[in-house]
Amino acid sequence: MKRLLIAMTTALGLACVGSTSVAQNQTHATNLPNFTVTAPAGQYETYFVNLPTGYGLEALVGNTHSQYVQAERAAERSEALRMQGTASQPFVAVAIDNSAGPGVAKRFLLNDSVQNTVAIVDVYCKRAAPEGKRCRLVSRSV
């Protein structure tokens, strides 16, 4: 968890502007007030939240163990690209395991380069829900 917070802090220091997320081919997209959900067939679900501070969070949710492993690898690749400054989107990417139990609830603190918390994002996921609507992201500015 500490490693994730350090990575998110470093990544947020490099992020400077928000961007719009675009669903790729062969995905189902649902636009809601603050975030976009894309669900590639047979893969993990991706949730984006744009924050008013110019930062963003990309939650890659695996609803099975194999989907979680894919989501974790994709999040690591995305973070590595963003830390190098070559990412197409300035979102902090995190992987969430929704494969066990009735659901999951996680809180992410987004910090800037000097360790000030700039936003809080709560992620709530259910196991039994329609595809593409399993998770909800709630953002709070500090």
Side-chain angles (χ1 to χ4, degrees), residues 74-110:
E76 289 173 1
R77 283 190 306 267
S78 178
E79 281 299 295
L81 288 173
R82 199 169 52 72
M83 285 186 195
Q84 294 172 0
T86 59
S88 61
Q89 298 176 348
F91 287 94
V92 174
V94 295
I96 298 175
D97 187 2
N98 191 31
S99 63
V104 66
K106 290 196 175 218
R107 172 170 280 179
F108 295 95
L109 302 174
L110 303 176

Side-chain angles (χ1 to χ4, degrees), residues 101-121:
V104 66
K106 290 196 175 218
R107 172 170 280 179
F108 295 95
L109 302 174
L110 303 176
N111 299 320
D112 62 11
S113 60
V114 292
Q115 300 299 320
N116 295 324
T117 301
V118 295
I120 299 170
V121 178

